[in-house]
Amino acid sequence: MTQQNKQNYLLPIIIMVFLFGMISFVTNLAAPMGKILITQFDVSPAMGLLGNLANFIAYAVMGIPGGIMLERLGYKKTALIAIAIGIVGVFIQYLSGGQQSFVIYLIGAFVAGFSMCLLNMVVNPMLNTLGGGGNKGNQLIQVGGSFNSVMGTITPMLVGVLVGEITKSTSITDVYPVLFIAMGVFAFAFIVLGLSTLPEPHAEKVKEPLSSLMLGALKFRHFVLGAIAIFVYVGVEVGTPGVLDLWLVKEIGIAPTISGFVCGTYWFLMLIGRLVGASIGDKVSSKLMLTITSIVGLILVALAMLLPVSTLINVPVLQTNAVGALGFGLAEVPINALLLLLVGLCTSIMWGGIFNLAVEGLGKYLAAASGIFMVLVCGGGILPWIQGLIVSIAGYQISYLVIFLGLAYLLYYAVVGSKNVNKDIPVE
């Protein structure tokens, strides 16, 4: 790639980085929206988390078809289709506000999930190719991942600021500005990419059908257990701050603005963790990192479940003063919240660690394995929804047993399940 070509790709690179962030922005919108849905439609916590479930179930539906679409249409066309679907999904959520319809909102969340699934498949290899591959391409992916974490930090904060105090009149219409921002960014990205000439990421062609390659990948025990680990991990990553946001507002009685900024700290800590993980990744093995972070996560969640919520600490957050102006100040939150926020440092490096361990030694089955991983991202909707069911039965604190068991499985995978015991299977 010439220097002139690299300069020509500057705007598409910026758009891809923004799309990386939009994946997090739109996905993480579902959890704080649960606070609004519970109030507006007078539903249970489990029902409030149905938007999050709908968003992630789309991965299970679209994961494999998305891979086929990439193979047949290429990355640019698939990216344009993904962006167009994203605009439609967010617009349907916007319509649900005017229609006051819970069902329409769920449809919008489901459609938006299709877009997020496709964008996840496209953005990483596109950034790598636009950067020229090698270290430069990987550097761009790290930049995109960092922006993804930043947007994850901003989303619950922005929703909290727009909603202000939760009242009986709180509605989806209160977060219209967030939906307008999402549609605007998607529309701009569609125009820029449509007018750009982009290189297609190189993908090695294999003669075997996709179904045969998937069945081949499933013969590896460490991959099957790793696929389950991805399902569990995404559920842990999303459920920890998502249910905490509901807990702080609905049971503890903290204002949504404060709750949003408290939970946004989780995604900020994930950003810090990713930067630290990237800096030590060449010195510490994926197995050791996953083992340590799983143990620390288990300790933090266990303490959050056992300590009384009456133990309070002061944390700096954005809040409104007596005249309604926004500013930073100290707010009291249960110590349980701080412990759960620190879990973000643990989950930050888990995806890469699990992926590396699970695909080791797969050879020609690697691409098919990646498609299976994308399907199992649906765990980010299913496990938090199960948490919501437990909240309705036994309360918020005990619902974190789901997170605890998830981390226990990840520890098992790191120590035992990640070992490749099928080295006799041909992979060339």
Side-chain angles (χ1 to χ4, degrees), residues 243-256 258-259 262 304 307-313 331-337 340 396-397:
V243 174
L244 175 62
D245 201 3
L246 297 180
W247 185 7
L248 292 177
V249 173
K250 295 300 179 181
E251 184 170 285
I252 306 301
I254 292 176
I258 296 175
S259 174
V262 169
L307 291 177
V309 295
S310 57
T311 303
L312 303 176
I313 59 171
E332 281 190 333
V333 298
I335 192 172
N336 319 69
L340 293 174
Y396 285 95
Q397 204 161 359

Side-chain angles (χ1 to χ4, degrees), residues 265-320:
T265 303
Y266 174 91
W267 301 103
F268 177 74
L269 291 175
M270 280 196 68
L271 170 61
I272 300 300
R274 283 173 175 170
L275 294 175
V276 173
S279 66
I280 64 173
D282 59 339
K283 303 179 183 67
V284 182
S285 69
S286 296
K287 181 174 182 176
L288 181 58
M289 280 199 287
L290 184 58
T291 299
I292 293 174
T293 52
S294 297
I295 292 173
V296 174
L298 281 167
I299 294 172
L300 291 171
V301 173
L303 289 173
M305 291 174 61
L306 295 173
L307 291 177
V309 295
S310 57
T311 303
L312 303 176
I313 59 171
N314 286 313
V315 294
V317 295
L318 187 72
Q319 54 188 329
T320 53

Side-chain angles (χ1 to χ4, degrees), residues 8 18 63 117 126 157 199 223 242 247 265 298 303 322 375 397 417:
N8 290 340
F18 266 88
C117 178
M126 281 297 293
M157 297 179 180
F223 168 71
W247 185 7
T265 303
L298 281 167
L303 289 173
V375 171
Q397 204 161 359

